[in-house]
Amino acid sequence: MFRFGKAKRLLSRFQENEDGNIALTFAVSAVAVIGCMGAAMDFSTLSNAKARSQSIADQTALAAAVFVKTHGREPTPPQPVAEGEEPEPEEGYLDSSYKTYSAYDLGYEFKGWVEGGAENVDVSVDYDGIKKEATVTVKGKTVPTFMQIFGHQNMDFEAVAVAKYEEFEFYDPASIVMVLDNSGSMGWDDKTEVYNPITGNWDDQEGHQPRIEALRSHADTFMTDLQGLVGDQTDDNDKVLRTGMLAYNSNTISSRTVPMNWGTQPVKTSLAQMVASGGTNSAPPIDTAKTWLSTETTTHKDMHGDDPLKFMVFMTDGINTSGGSTWVPEEGTGQWLGMVCKRRNWWGTCTRYGEDTVEQTTKPTYGYDWEEGSWQPTANLSSTADCTAMKNDGVKIYTIGFALADGYYKTNQTSTSWTYLSPEVRDQAYAFLSDCATEPSTFLTAENAEQLEDAFTRIGNDIQTEIIRLSN
């Protein structure tokens, strides 16, 4: 109580003093304090940016070294093309003498740390064939808030990482299951048709191909890269990677099912046998994938005593069309499910009520038991529930929405025909895949075969950097 009273008297004297000295001193001190606090905030932002850039440098250097290790060569720039044509980038990471990437190009984010975000952070990759190492440099600038008072318009950050081609080893064993759509629409072209107003025809885009062909090719490359990384696993001491595959249409296709096993060759063999047919129902294969992955920890521990990292790669080119629909209560949909009169007798009394769905903004005044919501594919709900269960069990789930740009697609049936894919169908598919993915960054879209290759490459690089580490 005494201390409080003394402090109160001091504050009163400060307020009553009129000679200005105390006020001036307080003002100067306040500026200094605020300046220090602001500088601390700016340096905290810089520190976060440095930490983020070092993580990117480490992962990119490791991925670059893995590329050289698995392909037996350093990446090379694309071959020259005719004027006006876009060069096709070589798979893997290119030498900085050809191109400097942005962090955004490589799929990274800088949340508020850098003005302009990841697009303004440069990532260069250099290869040294003599030292057999890849060096990655990440550079950028943060824009300070308070340090500008002292003349600092920006604050530079830089991170460097070096990875030798041969000096990395497995950090964790892994199990990877692929769930791949083989429905009838996978026989359609990967690119939309383009209307020619001069001829009145729908023309093919250059480089178009059936989706199933693109899937076979790029999924095989994904598995080949993994096999090159782990090498021969015939010796029990070398068993670190298990893979499996579930192809599906309106149900799981048993003839193309590859149960989890060591290595990748059985999956590669089954990939070559994929064809497009039937409807779409992802629920059965995803449920099986969940069951498979739930036993992988025991299998790995029995072999080498370590817990594995577990991954699911799920790719589809549309919405589930098989398996029926389920009513899901939800406010604000403008759809109502209730009981309405289905039959009346001759004097107007209802003799039979039945379920019906109507669309209107307010609750219907006729009938009874009205509930607002929407009909959703049962397969979506079941698949999402299984995805959630797997994520809770530590499985990292990547999803790919393939060839879902809205427009007309050639179906490649016996007679020339086209089918329209609407923005509503695209949005439904993207929402479903986003819900299934572990996080926003593991949900990828690929509007054509080239982008599907990029998606598999990105997933492969991500998985590789999680299951291996530098040994130097």
Side-chain angles (χ1 to χ4, degrees), residues 59-358:
Q59 292 185 49
T60 305
L62 187 55
V66 168
F67 178 88
V68 177
K69 169 78 171 180
T70 55
H71 291 78
R73 61 174 177 80
E74 297 172 7
T76 56
Q79 298 301 310
V81 297
E83 183 177 353
E85 294 184 6
E86 289 292 329
E88 291 293 336
E90 178 73 20
E91 63 176 334
Y93 293 88
L94 296 177
D95 193 292
S96 61
S97 62
Y98 166 71
K99 177 181 178 182
T100 296
Y101 291 88
S102 70
Y104 176 82
D105 293 334
L106 302 182
Y108 296 105
E109 295 181 351
F110 274 79
K111 298 180 179 179
W113 297 330
V114 180
E115 185 177 29
E119 293 181 346
N120 284 345
V121 177
D122 292 334
V123 182
S124 61
V125 187
D126 294 287
Y127 298 86
D128 189 325
I130 298 176
K131 294 182 178 180
K132 297 188 181 301
E133 63 185 25
T135 301
V136 175
T137 304
V138 180
K139 292 182 178 181
K141 302 176 185 292
T142 62
V143 179
T145 302
F146 292 93
M147 291 296 289
Q148 291 188 20
I149 299 173
F150 304 102
H152 296 279
Q153 297 304 310
N154 49 61
M155 303 172 71
D156 297 336
F157 62 86
E158 178 177 324
V160 178
V162 179
K164 292 188 177 295
Y165 304 157
E166 302 296 331
E167 293 185 357
F168 54 82
E169 61 188 14
F170 269 82
Y171 178 71
D172 283 304
S175 292
I176 304 170
V177 60
M178 302 180 76
V179 178
L180 305 177
D181 186 349
N182 281 199
S183 63
S185 59
M186 285 296 294
W188 301 357
D189 275 359
D190 64 319
K191 297 180 179 180
T192 57
E193 296 288 286
V194 179
Y195 181 70
N196 187 330
I198 298 177
T199 62
N201 296 325
W202 290 93
D203 295 336
D204 299 333
Q205 290 194 52
E206 184 178 356
H208 68 98
Q209 61 179 290
R211 301 171 185 180
I212 197 71
E213 291 182 6
L215 176 60
R216 283 197 297 257
S217 173
H218 302 316
D220 181 84
T221 299
F222 173 79
M223 282 293 169
T224 299
D225 288 347
L226 287 172
Q227 185 61 43
L229 182 67
V230 302
D232 184 7
Q233 296 191 104
T234 54
D235 191 312
D236 285 353
N237 293 325
D238 297 328
K239 285 180 165 52
V240 290
L241 177 67
R242 288 169 59 81
T243 64
M245 189 188 81
L246 292 152
Y248 74 95
N249 45 34
S250 54
N251 209 322
T252 303
I253 303 171
S254 58
S255 62
R256 296 170 215 160
T257 295
V258 182
M260 300 297 294
N261 209 332
W262 301 102
T264 64
Q265 189 54 51
V267 172
K268 287 168 59 64
T269 299
S270 189
L271 285 170
Q273 300 169 357
M274 293 193 306
V275 294
S277 65
T280 311
N281 185 350
S282 63
I286 288 182
D287 182 63
T288 301
K290 180 188 70 172
T291 301
W292 285 358
L293 290 173
S294 68
T295 64
E296 284 300 292
T297 297
T298 300
T299 303
H300 277 273
K301 281 194 169 184
D302 288 345
M303 178 59 67
H304 43 64
D306 295 326
D307 289 340
L309 296 174
K310 294 181 283 188
F311 304 90
M312 182 176 78
V313 180
F314 171 36
M315 189 236 71
T316 183
D317 71 337
I319 60 175
N320 284 306
T321 58
S322 302
S325 298
T326 300
W327 179 260
V328 178
E330 182 183 0
E331 294 183 357
T333 64
Q335 296 184 51
W336 301 85
L337 176 67
M339 301 298 291
V340 299
C341 184
K342 295 294 186 179
R343 186 174 61 203
R344 296 180 183 275
N345 57 24
W346 65 274
W347 59 84
T349 301
C350 185
T351 59
R352 184 173 69 85
Y353 279 89
E355 202 173 63
D356 199 6
T357 307
V358 299

Side-chain angles (χ1 to χ4, degrees), residues 309-465:
L309 296 174
K310 294 181 283 188
F311 304 90
M312 182 176 78
V313 180
F314 171 36
M315 189 236 71
T316 183
D317 71 337
I319 60 175
N320 284 306
T321 58
S322 302
S325 298
T326 300
W327 179 260
V328 178
E330 182 183 0
E331 294 183 357
T333 64
Q335 296 184 51
W336 301 85
L337 176 67
M339 301 298 291
V340 299
C341 184
K342 295 294 186 179
R343 186 174 61 203
R344 296 180 183 275
N345 57 24
W346 65 274
W347 59 84
T349 301
C350 185
T351 59
R352 184 173 69 85
Y353 279 89
E355 202 173 63
D356 199 6
T357 307
V358 299
E359 293 191 19
Q360 60 185 59
T361 56
T362 58
K363 182 177 180 179
T365 55
Y366 57 93
Y368 62 94
D369 286 345
W370 290 106
E371 181 180 56
E372 191 173 18
S374 62
W375 289 101
Q376 296 186 20
T378 303
N380 280 20
L381 300 174
S382 177
S383 297
T384 301
D386 282 337
C387 286
T388 298
M390 282 189 277
K391 287 183 282 188
N392 291 337
D393 192 39
V395 178
K396 189 169 186 178
I397 301 176
Y398 294 90
T399 61
I400 306 173
F402 178 37
L404 285 166
D406 56 285
Y408 284 94
Y409 289 88
K410 182 185 286 186
T411 63
N412 296 315
Q413 296 174 350
T414 304
S415 58
T416 302
S417 61
W418 297 267
T419 295
Y420 181 69
L421 191 150
S422 69
E424 291 76 20
V425 169
R426 175 202 62 205
D427 292 345
Q428 289 176 34
Y430 282 173
F432 165 54
L433 290 168
S434 179
D435 287 342
C436 188
T438 295
E439 56 190 39
S441 65
T442 62
F443 161 49
L444 293 81
T445 61
E447 291 192 351
N448 51 53
E450 292 86 355
Q451 291 182 19
L452 182 64
E453 179 182 17
D454 292 342
F456 274 114
T457 298
R458 179 174 165 186
I459 294 171
N461 288 338
D462 192 8
I463 291 176
Q464 289 172 9
T465 57

